[in-house]
Amino acid sequence: MRAVDAVIECLKAEGVEVVFGLPGGANLPQYDAFYDAGIRHVLVRHEAGGGHAAAGYAKATGKVGVCFATSGPGATNVVTPIADAMMDSVPTVFITGQVRTDLLGTDGFQEVDVVGVTMPIVKHSFMIQHPLEIPRAIHEAFHLARTGRPGPVIVDIPTDLARADIPYEPVTDVHLPGYQPTHDGNTKQIRQAAKALASARRPVLYVGGGAINAGASDEVRELARLDNFPVTCTLMGLGAFPAPDPQWLGMLGMHGTRTANYAMDEADLIVAIGARFDDRITGKLSEFAPRAKFVHIDIDPAEISKNIPAHIPIVGDAKNIVAKLVKEYRALEGVDHARLEAWWERIRGWQEKHPLRYEDSEGTEIKPQYLVEALYEATGGDAIVTTDIGQHQMWCAQYFHFDRPRRWLQSGGLGTMGFGLPAAMGAKVGMPDETVICLAGDGSVQMNMQELATCAQDGIDIKIFISNNGYLGMVRQWQELFWEKRYSQVDMGQFPDFVKLADAYGATGFRFENKTTLVEDIKQAIATPGPVMVDVRVTREENVYPMIAPGAAARDMVG
Amino acid sequence: MGDPGTKQDLLSLEDLEAAGALRTGRKHVLSILVENKPGVLTRIAGLFARRGFNIETLTVGPTDDDQISRVTLTVDGALHPIDQVTKQLHKLINVLKIRDLEPEGTVARELALFKVAAEGPARAEVMQVCDIFRGKVVDVTRRSLIVEVTGTTDKVEAFERMVRPFGLIEMMRTGEIAISRGRTET
């Protein structure tokens, strides 16, 4: 069979339900194979949209997202989604066409060394040099993408090799001698961690996106319940622990709650579960959690002691390890269950004194924070939500209370503007029965707007709400706070007319400007069949607070 | 958004140097077994570059297994960053095994070629130095000698210091290869 047909067989064997992609010269043979492959293909309008859609699909479903692109510009267009998937450990496979082998290295038409370009931002890549390598490479790519610390894998296939006739036999094993992720976690270390938790007087569970990747939410909740341990999540971890919960401190980090950040600052033991002490969490590293000892649970050994030296490192799968930790903790004798009372008293003091708050408008003006609260009310919290990057994203993290994992789909590490719309598209394809909302900024939504055409054509029913302040809002906020209000190149005016644009794309457009009817208006927009894009006019100059200023310590939060 | 700092506190050059100084420490010799596949060296070199590590020397060669190559590289670093760099190296799928070789338990050698100006009476003196270092004269012209020296980095550097006053025209060094002492495999 042709190698390209073997690729299809491999995809089927891997359980692939849908592929996002765009054909071009170098992957024409592959698209010929798609013609009657019996796998759903979503024709995106730009390869970046395809890559982010694959990531959105993967984040919502936990399955591997797949994106196809042609050589040269097709391949360079997926560079951003690949970097994004790398930073957030998203299981994705990118299969790119390449110029035929006799043109390689000659600057042929649409030739780019995509394996070279993406080397620093992939988990692994395969440059196919012989057609017989193709089936194994595809299977190994899926294995690498979904196991261990998940991530993006590229398979680059020259177009002449793709047309070759090869005998295809299903590959049932993978041969990767240099790849043996640790799964189980060291039992002695886990026991030590249980003891440390049992003697801690001011513990905090600090939960990141790794807990969601590992499917460890139930175990995390069980651990927290053992002794009323306070829990905070990173931006990526939201949903790993139910937000409306008495043990919930709120998100931590730059725009986290004061309670969460103060608790980290005063903690004597921090148990990090699938979190990586990113600079948005720690603030000034040398003053981060100065009194704490650290238990660090992570599947990637390189994360342990990268930024913060761990006292008790535990390498392995979070679900597995936290379950064992619960068991070890239960087996301990003589644990003083009343020891956290003083700690909770302190925490409640912060919660009462520093709740998340904003000054709501008097009249009909819509504050951007209120937009998030209205979305939460209109959906009853029952929605998958993607966002772009900036102020609206932080407000959504603060005011939309996620009670389950895989409902909050983010570009956390890379902070990619233009992520939200295609990610919502991918999520809806993966979870067709869920309400999928993209809360976007008026700046960022324009970066992958073209996928609205894809949604309209394929009937991908996403609801886009643009928090429209006519600014690149977060940059404007930083210019206001740190650059003496010199607003340089952040005013975007009221362009384009998003309602007309929605109409032009074959979607339904609305414009909401009145706070008093907003919840009902949102309900109506969500009930409208097909893709909907809503231009919500919000207060122009509003800032995200509280905030740890860049380079400052958590205890010095402002606002 | 990245941290832009504020208008007031611009980073001084001293601050930047101080931050860089954290990375100096003793020399480490890393012996790395890798799959003999295209692009593996690029992956390793790229990893060092983007994590801010400077490779001092690098040698690559075959092993007794033609599927596997050995990369020997020396890095200047404090213990903590070396730990991080070996962990990062382990994440490369084609890297099979890494050893951070202890200096006492290791035999390390490099090869160097020196082209030295040697005319008249200087020629005899250079050859004398060469004898002391057990070097070998591998080429001779009326005005110059090429000397081959093998040994530890210290020895090669000592030889360089000795012949430099005569006029060192050119020098080439391979960088170290290293093997662990005793019966066990490196």
Side-chain angles (χ1 to χ4, degrees):
Chain A
M1 98 181 25
R2 292 179 305 174
V4 287
D5 297 315
V7 169
I8 300 289
E9 291 306 313
C10 294
L11 297 183
K12 287 180 177 167
E14 293 291 344
V16 173
E17 301 159 336
V18 61
V19 163
F20 302 90
L22 190 82
N27 63 2
L28 263 170
Q30 189 61 63
Y31 274 82
D32 185 67
F34 270 120
Y35 185 75
D36 47 10
I39 289 183
R40 181 173 179 193
H41 182 283
V42 176
L43 172 61
V44 296
R45 283 358 186 218
H46 187 293
E47 290 87 350
H52 292 309
Y57 172 87
K59 286 182 188 213
T61 63
K63 300 174 196 164
V64 179
V66 184
C67 176
F68 277 71
T70 190
S71 67
T76 54
N77 278 345
V78 291
V79 168
T80 301
I82 289 170
D84 193 273
M86 186 67 174
M87 288 289 260
D88 288 349
S89 311
V90 191
T92 39
V93 170
F94 292 83
I95 299 179
T96 49
Q98 182 54 277
V99 298
R100 58 177 200 269
T101 44
D102 61 315
L103 282 177
L104 275 174
T106 67
D107 305 319
F109 177 64
Q110 294 194 326
E111 181 188 1
V112 155
D113 171 15
V114 64
V115 167
V117 167
T118 57
M119 208 165 265
I121 50 168
V122 291
K123 182 168 175 182
H124 195 53
S125 43
F126 296 89
M127 171 77 219
I128 300 298
Q129 294 183 308
H130 193 285
L132 285 177
E133 297 167 8
I134 291 173
R136 178 164 291 280
I138 303 279
H139 286 296
E140 288 179 348
F142 275 85
H143 179 75
L144 287 166
R146 74 159 73 91
T147 58
R149 180 178 182 171
V153 182
I154 289 193
V155 185
D156 193 35
I157 309 178
T159 183
D160 54 332
L161 305 187
R163 301 174 71 152
D165 190 33
I166 60 169
Y168 171 71
E169 270 181 55
V171 179
T172 49
D173 64 318
V174 290
H175 179 69
L176 297 162
Y179 178 70
Q180 281 132 2
T182 310
H183 184 259
D184 277 349
N186 182 306
T187 313
K188 231 172 85 187
Q189 298 287 88
I190 295 172
R191 191 163 302 150
Q192 250 198 309
K195 282 183 189 158
L197 256 177
S199 59
R201 308 223 143 238
R202 297 185 308 281
V204 177
L205 306 185
Y206 151 53
V207 183
I212 292 175
N213 272 342
S217 310
D218 291 346
E219 288 74 10
V220 167
R221 197 159 53 238
E222 216 181 333
L223 178 68
R225 297 282 185 257
L226 286 176
D227 235 342
N228 203 22
F229 296 125
V231 184
T232 180
C233 288
T234 66
L235 181 82
M236 296 304 294
L238 292 179
F241 187 80
D245 188 285
Q247 283 169 253
W248 171 243
L249 307 182
M251 180 175 79
L252 83 165
M254 183 171 271
H255 292 296
T257 63
R258 281 178 187 263
T259 304
N261 284 321
Y262 289 175
M264 293 292 275
D265 185 54
E266 292 195 9
D268 64 351
L269 183 78
I270 289 171
V271 181
I273 304 171
R276 58 186 177 87
F277 298 94
D278 175 75
D279 59 277
R280 284 297 187 266
I281 298 302
T282 62
K284 189 174 184 182
L285 203 57
S286 58
E287 291 181 31
F288 173 69
R291 301 155 190 86
K293 288 203 182 318
F294 295 94
V295 176
H296 195 171
I297 300 168
D298 206 291
I299 189 109
D300 180 359
E303 286 304 337
I304 309 269
S305 300
K306 184 179 80 177
N307 296 336
I308 295 281
H311 300 84
I312 307 176
I314 311 175
V315 176
D317 174 69
K319 185 181 178 73
N320 184 312
I321 290 168
V322 176
K324 286 183 187 159
L325 184 55
V326 167
K327 218 167 127 193
E328 289 290 344
Y329 192 88
R330 286 212 174 106
L332 293 175
E333 282 169 20
V335 178
D336 170 15
H337 295 290
R339 73 189 186 289
L340 300 185
E341 271 167 28
W343 182 221
W344 270 108
E345 209 168 297
R346 184 113 178 101
I347 290 171
R348 285 200 192 96
W350 292 322
Q351 282 174 329
E352 276 159 33
K353 201 167 160 202
H354 308 290
L356 279 176
R357 64 189 161 76
Y358 63 93
E359 220 170 287
D360 204 357
S361 61
E362 299 288 334
T364 57
E365 186 184 6
I366 300 170
K367 286 282 178 126
Q369 300 94 327
Y370 179 75
L371 167 59
V372 176
E373 293 198 299
L375 279 169
Y376 186 69
E377 197 186 325
T379 57
D382 188 14
I384 292 174
V385 180
T386 74
T387 72
D388 276 313
I389 304 307
Q391 291 184 312
H392 68 280
Q393 173 196 29
M394 290 299 122
W395 284 315
C396 199
Q398 290 176 335
Y399 293 101
F400 202 104
H401 312 291
F402 294 92
D403 63 346
R404 274 170 291 163
R406 301 198 179 281
R407 312 280 283 176
W408 165 243
L409 315 183
Q410 287 292 295
S411 165
L414 195 65
T416 309
M417 288 172 72
F419 170 85
L421 199 165
M425 179 171 87
K428 184 69 185 180
V429 168
M431 307 293 273
D433 299 332
E434 302 280 347
T435 301
V436 179
I437 286 174
C438 166
L439 178 63
D442 56 298
S444 46
V445 75
Q446 295 184 58
M447 290 202 183
N448 271 313
M449 178 60 84
Q450 76 285 344
E451 298 313 326
L452 202 48
T454 311
C455 292
Q457 186 185 12
D458 271 35
I460 301 168
D461 188 0
I462 62 171
K463 312 299 178 195
I464 304 156
F465 292 87
I466 301 168
S467 180
N468 186 352
N469 57 13
Y471 273 128
L472 294 168
M474 188 61 99
V475 181
R476 188 208 55 75
Q477 175 172 342
W478 283 47
Q479 287 175 344
E480 177 186 331
L481 298 178
F482 308 119
W483 296 85
E484 298 168 359
K485 292 196 179 182
R486 288 156 60 91
Y487 292 163
S488 176
Q489 302 300 320
V490 289
D491 191 340
M492 306 197 88
Q494 290 306 340
F495 301 95
D497 182 329
F498 288 109
V499 178
K500 282 186 184 158
L501 194 60
D503 190 45
Y505 271 118
T508 308
F510 295 106
R511 178 167 295 119
F512 298 159
E513 296 173 279
N514 185 342
K515 185 181 93 179
T516 54
T517 58
L518 187 60
V519 173
E520 285 313 309
D521 290 342
I522 289 173
K523 282 184 184 166
Q524 187 213 327
I526 290 173
T528 306
V532 172
M533 183 158 71
V534 186
D535 177 10
V536 186
R537 296 293 172 88
V538 299
T539 308
R540 289 207 76 195
E541 298 191 10
E542 187 75 15
N543 288 341
V544 183
Y545 287 120
M547 177 177 195
I548 304 174
R555 80 182 76 90
D556 300 324
M557 284 198 97
V558 294
Chain B
M1 291 197 299
D3 287 347
T6 62
K7 270 188 102 168
Q8 288 75 35
D9 53 25
L10 290 173
L11 266 186
S12 71
L13 284 177
E14 287 77 18
D15 288 342
L16 288 173
E17 275 169 23
L22 293 172
R23 295 216 161 121
T24 60
R26 81 166 168 92
K27 184 184 84 176
H28 289 255
V29 180
L30 301 182
S31 182
I32 307 166
L33 286 179
V34 300
E35 289 182 272
N36 184 10
K37 287 189 174 167
V40 175
L41 188 61
T42 318
R43 286 179 206 270
I44 292 175
L47 172 67
F48 273 74
R50 69 177 176 273
R51 299 267 169 193
F53 283 81
N54 185 27
I55 301 176
E56 293 209 326
T57 71
L58 172 79
T59 64
V60 188
T63 63
D64 50 352
D65 180 344
D66 64 2
Q67 306 282 311
I68 294 173
S69 305
R70 184 183 300 280
V71 177
T72 308
L73 51 83
T74 58
V75 195
D76 194 356
L79 265 174
H80 177 68
I82 287 292
D83 175 57
Q84 178 59 211
V85 97
T86 54
K87 283 172 170 176
Q88 293 291 349
L89 278 170
H90 266 300
K91 286 173 73 170
L92 298 178
I93 309 299
N94 302 126
V95 168
L96 301 173
K97 191 178 154 194
I98 304 169
R99 267 191 73 176
D100 182 1
L101 294 170
E102 292 292 329
E104 317 80 66
T106 307
V107 177
R109 292 291 182 269
E110 69 173 305
L111 166 70
L113 296 171
F114 295 89
K115 191 180 286 180
V116 188
E119 252 179 301
R123 175 184 305 257
E125 277 186 64
V126 171
M127 289 179 69
Q128 225 173 358
V129 174
C130 176
D131 277 346
I132 295 167
F133 281 83
R134 297 204 186 106
K136 229 168 35 185
V137 176
V138 290
D139 181 66
V140 58
T141 65
R142 229 158 37 76
R143 301 170 61 194
S144 69
L145 288 173
I146 296 177
V147 182
E148 172 192 317
V149 177
T150 59
T152 61
T153 296
D154 284 351
K155 177 180 161 183
V156 171
E157 284 170 359
F159 183 79
E160 183 197 334
R161 279 196 299 276
M162 292 303 293
V163 296
R164 192 173 276 285
F166 295 100
L168 184 56
I169 299 163
E170 209 173 10
M171 171 183 81
M172 296 201 185
R173 294 167 60 173
T174 58
E176 281 184 308
I177 54 167
I179 195 162
S180 64
R181 291 183 189 276
R183 176 75 177 76
T184 50
E185 280 181 30
T186 304

